[in-house]
């Protein structure tokens, strides 16, 4: 399988995680403490998802044996 869908998906989820991380800092700076934990948790979830996509790509590249 080509690497293009895996790389694009990983890059998109990493970008979303970064944007949400910056949003969490912005919310904390403006005093919206009640939302910071949820946004930060979702940001970490996006980074984990990106890592799992890359693991899937690596595992897909291995030769398949039965």
């Amino acid at each position: 399988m080509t690497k293009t869908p895996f790389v694009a998906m990983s890059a998109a989820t990493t970008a979303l995680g970064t944007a949400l991380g910056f949003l969490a800092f912005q919310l904390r700076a403006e005093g919206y403490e009640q939302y910071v934990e949820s946004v930060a948790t979702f940001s970490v979830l996006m980074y984990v998802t990106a890592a799992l996509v890359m693991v899937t790509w690596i595992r897909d590249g291995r030769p398949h044996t039965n």
Side-chain angles (χ1 to χ4, degrees):
M1 190 173 227
T2 63
K3 63 182 176 181
T4 305
F6 292 107
V7 173
M9 181 67 169
S10 183
T13 54
T14 301
L16 181 57
T18 302
L20 288 170
F22 283 123
L23 177 62
F25 283 122
Q26 185 77 24
L27 289 171
R28 180 165 298 201
E30 293 185 13
Y32 292 101
E33 293 290 328
Q34 68 268 25
Y35 302 114
V36 171
E37 185 178 353
S38 297
V39 173
T41 300
F42 195 66
S43 174
V44 170
L45 181 65
M46 290 298 100
Y47 283 118
V48 170
T49 302
L52 290 175
V53 167
M54 293 310 292
V55 167
T56 303
W57 174 41
I58 291 168
R59 289 182 57 89
D60 184 63
R62 291 190 202 167
H64 301 285
T65 60
N66 290 334

